[in-house]
Amino acid sequence: MSFLPWLGLFETLRVKDGAPLEAAEHWETLRASAAALAIPLRGERPERSLPQETGRWRWIVDAEGNLSEFFSPEADPAPVPYRLALAPQRLGSRNWDARHKTISYLTHWQARRSVEADEAVLLNEHGLLATGAMSNLFWVKTGRLHTPRSEAGCRTGVVRGWVLRHAAVEEGDYPAQALDEADEIFVTNSWIGIRAVCAWNGRTLATGPVTAGLIADRAGRASRPPGN
């Protein structure tokens, strides 16, 4: 397996009692990212018997398209609302590392470490909302659900895609002030699912009906047998 520190991709899957969640969706995301970066993804979607545990299953693709994977046992994350804060770093909206899960993850990690909160919010070079450091960003204003469009510099995450399919969401270009005026905020990623936000830059928020409804809907769908 070759290693070029500027070129490669990854996906992180949540595993529940040995069952990977949304593996097909993660594979399609990885394929699309590989095509965008002109990486010749080799082989088929990883299929193996995982331990009957909860944890993270990571797929990593190198510059030549070779795929490696490993599983890390980890307890379920506690469903505690997050505190958000604005990071000083900026993302280039046209940069690959803004739109795809590249192994060049340093700006996102630096942003996460730069705030005294559970998650950081990143703006792009135009001062518009782009993404959370480790998550996608949504908010509700007067009953309408919003999220930055992918062209603003966010990743097309699997749980983000789930929300877009199951709710009416307005994608667009928004300034940071949009969060100041929000009635509800939540973030998403494959490990935490949909996570309510209880504070933004010192402002307290409640878990509102839109956020609570989506959390319940996703949990309910996950508990149904396949085909239901």
mmCIF file of all heavy atoms in Angstrom, residues 86-108:
data_model
loop_
_atom_site.group_PDB
_atom_site.id
_atom_site.type_symbol
_atom_site.label_atom_id
_atom_site.label_comp_id
_atom_site.label_asym_id
_atom_site.label_seq_id
_atom_site.Cartn_x
_atom_site.Cartn_y
_atom_site.Cartn_z
ATOM 1 N N LEU A 86 -17.735 29.011 16.944
ATOM 2 C CA LEU A 86 -17.163 29.341 15.643
ATOM 3 C C LEU A 86 -15.650 29.226 15.692
ATOM 4 O O LEU A 86 -14.997 29.802 16.563
ATOM 5 C CB LEU A 86 -17.571 30.761 15.243
ATOM 6 C CG LEU A 86 -17.150 31.228 13.850
ATOM 7 C CD1 LEU A 86 -17.819 30.385 12.777
ATOM 8 C CD2 LEU A 86 -17.487 32.704 13.675
ATOM 9 N N ALA A 87 -15.085 28.492 14.745
ATOM 10 C CA ALA A 87 -13.630 28.332 14.665
ATOM 11 C C ALA A 87 -13.017 29.460 13.848
ATOM 12 O O ALA A 87 -13.651 29.998 12.934
ATOM 13 C CB ALA A 87 -13.294 26.989 14.018
ATOM 14 N N PRO A 88 -11.774 29.848 14.138
ATOM 15 C CA PRO A 88 -11.112 30.902 13.360
ATOM 16 C C PRO A 88 -10.622 30.426 12.000
ATOM 17 O O PRO A 88 -10.346 31.248 11.119
ATOM 18 C CB PRO A 88 -9.940 31.318 14.248
ATOM 19 C CG PRO A 88 -9.633 30.097 15.054
ATOM 20 C CD PRO A 88 -10.958 29.426 15.297
ATOM 21 N N GLN A 89 -10.491 29.124 11.800
ATOM 22 C CA GLN A 89 -10.002 28.609 10.527
ATOM 23 C C GLN A 89 -11.074 28.780 9.440
ATOM 24 O O GLN A 89 -12.259 28.904 9.726
ATOM 25 C CB GLN A 89 -9.630 27.122 10.645
ATOM 26 C CG GLN A 89 -8.399 26.856 11.482
ATOM 27 C CD GLN A 89 -8.657 26.977 12.969
ATOM 28 O OE1 GLN A 89 -9.792 26.828 13.415
ATOM 29 N NE2 GLN A 89 -7.610 27.256 13.744
ATOM 30 N N ARG A 90 -10.641 28.750 8.186
ATOM 31 C CA ARG A 90 -11.536 28.851 7.041
ATOM 32 C C ARG A 90 -11.282 27.696 6.074
ATOM 33 O O ARG A 90 -10.155 27.192 5.957
ATOM 34 C CB ARG A 90 -11.336 30.178 6.294
ATOM 35 C CG ARG A 90 -11.713 31.405 7.121
ATOM 36 C CD ARG A 90 -13.219 31.475 7.348
ATOM 37 N NE ARG A 90 -13.595 32.672 8.105
ATOM 38 C CZ ARG A 90 -13.733 32.712 9.420
ATOM 39 N NH1 ARG A 90 -13.473 31.615 10.136
ATOM 40 N NH2 ARG A 90 -14.102 33.821 10.030
ATOM 41 N N LEU A 91 -12.343 27.295 5.385
ATOM 42 C CA LEU A 91 -12.240 26.263 4.358
ATOM 43 C C LEU A 91 -12.327 26.894 2.980
ATOM 44 O O LEU A 91 -13.093 27.831 2.768
ATOM 45 C CB LEU A 91 -13.385 25.251 4.491
ATOM 46 C CG LEU A 91 -13.353 24.290 5.673
ATOM 47 C CD1 LEU A 91 -14.617 23.441 5.657
ATOM 48 C CD2 LEU A 91 -12.127 23.398 5.605
ATOM 49 N N GLY A 92 -11.568 26.358 2.033
ATOM 50 C CA GLY A 92 -11.727 26.748 0.642
ATOM 51 C C GLY A 92 -12.877 25.957 0.040
ATOM 52 O O GLY A 92 -12.822 24.725 -0.025
ATOM 53 N N SER A 93 -13.921 26.620 -0.386
ATOM 54 C CA SER A 93 -15.135 25.923 -0.806
ATOM 55 C C SER A 93 -14.897 25.006 -2.003
ATOM 56 O O SER A 93 -15.649 24.049 -2.212
ATOM 57 C CB SER A 93 -16.232 26.948 -1.150
ATOM 58 O OG SER A 93 -15.811 27.830 -2.171
ATOM 59 N N ARG A 94 -13.870 25.282 -2.798
ATOM 60 C CA ARG A 94 -13.583 24.442 -3.960
ATOM 61 C C ARG A 94 -12.509 23.391 -3.679
ATOM 62 O O ARG A 94 -12.134 22.627 -4.563
ATOM 63 C CB ARG A 94 -13.149 25.311 -5.139
ATOM 64 C CG ARG A 94 -14.223 26.295 -5.589
ATOM 65 C CD ARG A 94 -13.880 26.940 -6.908
ATOM 66 N NE ARG A 94 -14.914 27.846 -7.352
ATOM 67 C CZ ARG A 94 -14.972 28.385 -8.559
ATOM 68 N NH1 ARG A 94 -14.017 28.097 -9.439
ATOM 69 N NH2 ARG A 94 -15.943 29.206 -8.898
ATOM 70 N N ASN A 95 -12.014 23.382 -2.452
ATOM 71 C CA ASN A 95 -10.945 22.432 -2.119
ATOM 72 C C ASN A 95 -11.490 21.024 -1.928
ATOM 73 O O ASN A 95 -12.552 20.827 -1.336
ATOM 74 C CB ASN A 95 -10.231 22.876 -0.838
ATOM 75 C CG ASN A 95 -9.474 24.171 -1.016
ATOM 76 O OD1 ASN A 95 -9.503 24.791 -2.068
ATOM 77 N ND2 ASN A 95 -8.789 24.589 0.045
ATOM 78 N N TRP A 96 -10.726 20.045 -2.383
ATOM 79 C CA TRP A 96 -11.146 18.654 -2.219
ATOM 80 C C TRP A 96 -11.323 18.278 -0.757
ATOM 81 O O TRP A 96 -12.227 17.523 -0.405
ATOM 82 C CB TRP A 96 -10.107 17.727 -2.858
ATOM 83 C CG TRP A 96 -10.215 17.635 -4.347
ATOM 84 C CD1 TRP A 96 -11.307 17.922 -5.120
ATOM 85 C CD2 TRP A 96 -9.187 17.212 -5.239
ATOM 86 N NE1 TRP A 96 -11.013 17.710 -6.441
ATOM 87 C CE2 TRP A 96 -9.719 17.277 -6.548
ATOM 88 C CE3 TRP A 96 -7.876 16.795 -5.065
ATOM 89 C CZ2 TRP A 96 -8.979 16.919 -7.671
ATOM 90 C CZ3 TRP A 96 -7.137 16.445 -6.183
ATOM 91 C CH2 TRP A 96 -7.685 16.499 -7.478
ATOM 92 N N ASP A 97 -10.431 18.791 0.103
ATOM 93 C CA ASP A 97 -10.514 18.380 1.502
ATOM 94 C C ASP A 97 -11.704 19.005 2.214
ATOM 95 O O ASP A 97 -12.033 18.612 3.339
ATOM 96 C CB ASP A 97 -9.214 18.673 2.257
ATOM 97 C CG ASP A 97 -8.835 20.143 2.264
ATOM 98 O OD1 ASP A 97 -9.428 20.914 1.491
ATOM 99 O OD2 ASP A 97 -7.947 20.517 3.042
ATOM 100 N N ALA A 98 -12.376 19.977 1.595
ATOM 101 C CA ALA A 98 -13.609 20.514 2.163
ATOM 102 C C ALA A 98 -14.801 19.641 1.787
ATOM 103 O O ALA A 98 -15.709 19.437 2.585
ATOM 104 C CB ALA A 98 -13.840 21.942 1.679
ATOM 105 N N ARG A 99 -14.814 19.103 0.582
ATOM 106 C CA ARG A 99 -15.986 18.391 0.079
ATOM 107 C C ARG A 99 -15.901 16.878 0.224
ATOM 108 O O ARG A 99 -16.914 16.189 0.106
ATOM 109 C CB ARG A 99 -16.197 18.724 -1.396
ATOM 110 C CG ARG A 99 -16.458 20.203 -1.660
ATOM 111 C CD ARG A 99 -16.971 20.389 -3.058
ATOM 112 N NE ARG A 99 -17.019 21.790 -3.433
ATOM 113 C CZ ARG A 99 -17.530 22.216 -4.576
ATOM 114 N NH1 ARG A 99 -18.029 21.347 -5.428
ATOM 115 N NH2 ARG A 99 -17.549 23.497 -4.868
ATOM 116 N N HIS A 100 -14.695 16.359 0.415
ATOM 117 C CA HIS A 100 -14.503 14.907 0.481
ATOM 118 C C HIS A 100 -13.722 14.543 1.744
ATOM 119 O O HIS A 100 -12.970 15.357 2.275
ATOM 120 C CB HIS A 100 -13.760 14.408 -0.757
ATOM 121 C CG HIS A 100 -14.416 14.782 -2.047
ATOM 122 N ND1 HIS A 100 -15.509 14.111 -2.544
ATOM 123 C CD2 HIS A 100 -14.145 15.784 -2.929
ATOM 124 C CE1 HIS A 100 -15.880 14.666 -3.685
ATOM 125 N NE2 HIS A 100 -15.078 15.691 -3.937
ATOM 126 N N LYS A 101 -13.907 13.298 2.202
ATOM 127 C CA LYS A 101 -13.186 12.838 3.387
ATOM 128 C C LYS A 101 -11.791 12.380 2.967
ATOM 129 O O LYS A 101 -11.519 11.190 2.822
ATOM 130 C CB LYS A 101 -13.956 11.712 4.078
ATOM 131 C CG LYS A 101 -15.221 12.198 4.767
ATOM 132 C CD LYS A 101 -15.902 11.067 5.521
ATOM 133 C CE LYS A 101 -17.152 11.571 6.224
ATOM 134 N NZ LYS A 101 -17.879 10.483 6.913
ATOM 135 N N THR A 102 -10.924 13.363 2.775
ATOM 136 C CA THR A 102 -9.552 13.047 2.409
ATOM 137 C C THR A 102 -8.738 12.787 3.669
ATOM 138 O O THR A 102 -9.100 13.214 4.767
ATOM 139 C CB THR A 102 -8.915 14.210 1.618
ATOM 140 O OG1 THR A 102 -8.713 15.311 2.500
ATOM 141 C CG2 THR A 102 -9.803 14.639 0.457
ATOM 142 N N ILE A 103 -7.602 12.129 3.491
ATOM 143 C CA ILE A 103 -6.740 11.886 4.649
ATOM 144 C C ILE A 103 -6.040 13.175 5.084
ATOM 145 O O ILE A 103 -5.440 13.213 6.152
ATOM 146 C CB ILE A 103 -5.711 10.770 4.371
ATOM 147 C CG1 ILE A 103 -4.852 11.095 3.143
ATOM 148 C CG2 ILE A 103 -6.418 9.449 4.193
ATOM 149 C CD1 ILE A 103 -3.761 10.071 2.894
ATOM 150 N N SER A 104 -6.136 14.229 4.271
ATOM 151 C CA SER A 104 -5.660 15.557 4.679
ATOM 152 C C SER A 104 -6.769 16.221 5.495
ATOM 153 O O SER A 104 -7.533 17.032 4.984
ATOM 154 C CB SER A 104 -5.324 16.402 3.442
ATOM 155 O OG SER A 104 -4.344 15.787 2.656
ATOM 156 N N TYR A 105 -6.831 15.887 6.771
ATOM 157 C CA TYR A 105 -7.944 16.277 7.641
ATOM 158 C C TYR A 105 -7.529 17.349 8.639
ATOM 159 O O TYR A 105 -8.250 17.637 9.583
ATOM 160 C CB TYR A 105 -8.418 15.021 8.382
ATOM 161 C CG TYR A 105 -9.869 15.015 8.795
ATOM 162 C CD1 TYR A 105 -10.881 15.053 7.851
ATOM 163 C CD2 TYR A 105 -10.218 14.950 10.142
ATOM 164 C CE1 TYR A 105 -12.211 15.026 8.232
ATOM 165 C CE2 TYR A 105 -11.546 14.925 10.529
ATOM 166 C CZ TYR A 105 -12.538 14.962 9.568
ATOM 167 O OH TYR A 105 -13.848 14.938 9.946
ATOM 168 N N LEU A 106 -6.370 17.960 8.400
ATOM 169 C CA LEU A 106 -5.760 18.771 9.441
ATOM 170 C C LEU A 106 -6.563 20.026 9.763
ATOM 171 O O LEU A 106 -6.703 20.394 10.941
ATOM 172 C CB LEU A 106 -4.331 19.155 9.030
ATOM 173 C CG LEU A 106 -3.470 19.761 10.134
ATOM 174 C CD1 LEU A 106 -3.340 18.810 11.314
ATOM 175 C CD2 LEU A 106 -2.088 20.103 9.581
ATOM 176 N N THR A 107 -7.104 20.719 8.751
ATOM 177 C CA THR A 107 -7.848 21.945 9.028
ATOM 178 C C THR A 107 -9.061 21.664 9.905
ATOM 179 O O THR A 107 -9.355 22.402 10.848
ATOM 180 C CB THR A 107 -8.294 22.621 7.720
ATOM 181 O OG1 THR A 107 -7.134 22.983 6.968
ATOM 182 C CG2 THR A 107 -9.111 23.872 7.995
ATOM 183 N N HIS A 108 -9.771 20.573 9.610
ATOM 184 C CA HIS A 108 -10.947 20.225 10.405
ATOM 185 C C HIS A 108 -10.554 19.902 11.851
ATOM 186 O O HIS A 108 -11.224 20.333 12.799
ATOM 187 C CB HIS A 108 -11.664 19.017 9.786
ATOM 188 C CG HIS A 108 -12.320 19.314 8.477
ATOM 189 N ND1 HIS A 108 -11.615 19.417 7.303
ATOM 190 C CD2 HIS A 108 -13.628 19.525 8.153
ATOM 191 C CE1 HIS A 108 -12.446 19.677 6.313
ATOM 192 N NE2 HIS A 108 -13.671 19.748 6.800
#
